[in-house]
C-alpha cells in the first residue's frame, strides 16, 4: 500500500511540476508549492503500483469465474445459432490433451477461447495468491497429434508447495489473452 501511495505522489508531483512550468512560461511568475510528505508519497506510490499490477489479474480471474447461461439473457442457444448460419452447429470449445508430470495429485482446469491457433499459445507462468510460493513455469502448449486439439504439458517440481496456481494463456505473436489455466496441487 505504501508503494502505491509513493507512486501516486510521484505522478501528482510530476503533473504539478509540469503545470507550474507551463504556467510560468505563460505568465512569467513563479508559483510556489509546498513540499509533500515523503512517507505519504511513498505509501501512495506503492499502492498505485500494486493496483496497476493486480487489476488485470483480478479482471481476468473474475471473467473466468462468471459464466452466463445464454438462455437466461435472451441469446440464442448454440444449436439455434448453428441452424441459423449454414445448418451445421459451430464448435465453441477447443479439445485439450493434458500431460502432467507430478508426484502428487493435480487438478487442472483449462479454458480457451474458440478458434485459437495452438502453435502461437504460451502460458506466462502460474502464480499462487500467496506471493511467497514460487511461480510454476515449466508449461508448454503445442498442437496435439490429433488435428484440431491442443496439448498442454505441465511439470510440477517435487518441492512445489501445495495450493492453487493460476495464470493466463496468451497469443505469443500479439500478446492478447486467449484463455486461462489453473491447477490445484494436493498436499
Amino acid at each position: 500500500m505504501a508503494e502505491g501511495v509513493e507512486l501516486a505522489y510521484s505522478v501528482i508531483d510530476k503533473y504539478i511540476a509540469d503545470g507550474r512550468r507551463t504556467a510560468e512560461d505563460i505568465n512569467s511568475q513563479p508559483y510556489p508549492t509546498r513540499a509533500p510528505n515523503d512517507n505519504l508519497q511513498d505509501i501512495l506510490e506503492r499502492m498505485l503500483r500494486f493496483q496497476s499490477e493486480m487489476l488485470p489479474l483480478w479482471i481476468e480471474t473474475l471473467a473466468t469465474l462468471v459464466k452466463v447461461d445464454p438462455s437466461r439473457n435472451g441469446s440464442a442457444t448454440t444449436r439455434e445459432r448453428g441452424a441459423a448460419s449454414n445448418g451445421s452447429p459451430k464448435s465453441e470449445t477447443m479439445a485439450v490433451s493434458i500431460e502432467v508430470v507430478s508426484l502428487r495429485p493435480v487438478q487442472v482446469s483449462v479454458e480457451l477461447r474458440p478458434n485459437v491457433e495452438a502453435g502461437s499459445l504460451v502460458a506466462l507462468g502460474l502464480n499462487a495468491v500467496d506471493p511467497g510460493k514460487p511461480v510454476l513455469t515449466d508449461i508448454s502448449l503445442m498442437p496435439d497429434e490429433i488435428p484440431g486439439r491442443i496439448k498442454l504439458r505441465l511439470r510440477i517440481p517435487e518441492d512445489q508447495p501445495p495450493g492453487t496456481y493460476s495464470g493466463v494463456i496468451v497469443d505469443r505473436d500479439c500478446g492478447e489473452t486467449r484463455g486461462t489455466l489453473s491447477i490445484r496441487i494436493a498436499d
Side-chain angles (χ1 to χ4, degrees):
M1 187 170 170
E3 289 177 357
V5 172
E6 287 175 5
L7 180 61
Y9 267 96
S10 71
V11 170
I12 291 169
D13 285 342
K14 180 184 177 299
Y15 281 110
I16 289 173
D18 290 346
R20 186 173 8 100
R21 278 192 300 271
T22 302
E24 287 174 355
D25 289 345
I26 293 171
N27 197 8
S28 302
Q29 294 179 2
Y31 289 89
T33 59
R34 66 182 180 118
N37 182 345
D38 286 339
N39 290 335
L40 187 56
Q41 181 178 359
D42 290 344
I43 292 170
L44 186 58
E45 284 179 10
R46 288 181 188 161
M47 183 180 72
L48 289 177
R49 192 174 317 123
F50 174 75
Q51 290 300 326
S52 69
E53 292 171 359
M54 291 302 295
L55 186 60
L57 293 173
W58 279 112
I59 290 172
E60 190 67 36
T61 302
L62 290 175
T64 61
L65 295 176
V66 177
K67 299 290 180 203
V68 177
D69 181 10
S71 65
R72 299 183 99 182
N73 67 3
S75 172
T77 64
T78 304
R79 185 173 298 160
E80 291 168 348
R81 281 190 304 250
S85 59
N86 63 1
S88 63
K90 254 188 162 175
S91 174
E92 293 203 13
T93 61
M94 174 67 68
V96 178
S97 169
I98 300 173
E99 182 179 307
V100 179
V101 177
S102 176
L103 295 177
R104 290 173 284 164
V106 176
Q107 179 182 5
V108 179
S109 172
V110 180
E111 291 189 31
L112 291 174
R113 292 186 179 158
N115 304 320
V116 295
E117 294 295 325
S120 66
L121 296 179
V122 63
L124 302 177
L126 302 178
N127 295 293
V129 174
D130 178 0
K133 293 183 179 180
V135 177
L136 287 169
T137 57
D138 197 353
I139 306 162
S140 59
L141 291 145
M142 65 204 74
D144 193 32
E145 294 83 23
I146 300 172
R149 287 178 57 171
I150 294 174
K151 179 176 274 189
L152 166 67
R153 285 189 178 149
L154 295 166
R155 184 176 306 272
I156 311 299
E158 292 180 29
D159 59 344
Q160 188 73 29
T164 301
Y165 299 80
S166 58
V168 294
I169 298 171
V170 299
D171 186 310
R172 166 182 307 126
D173 301 327
C174 66
E176 292 183 9
T177 302
R178 298 295 187 224
T180 58
L181 175 60
S182 178
I183 68 164
R184 182 178 307 221
I185 302 172
D187 291 330

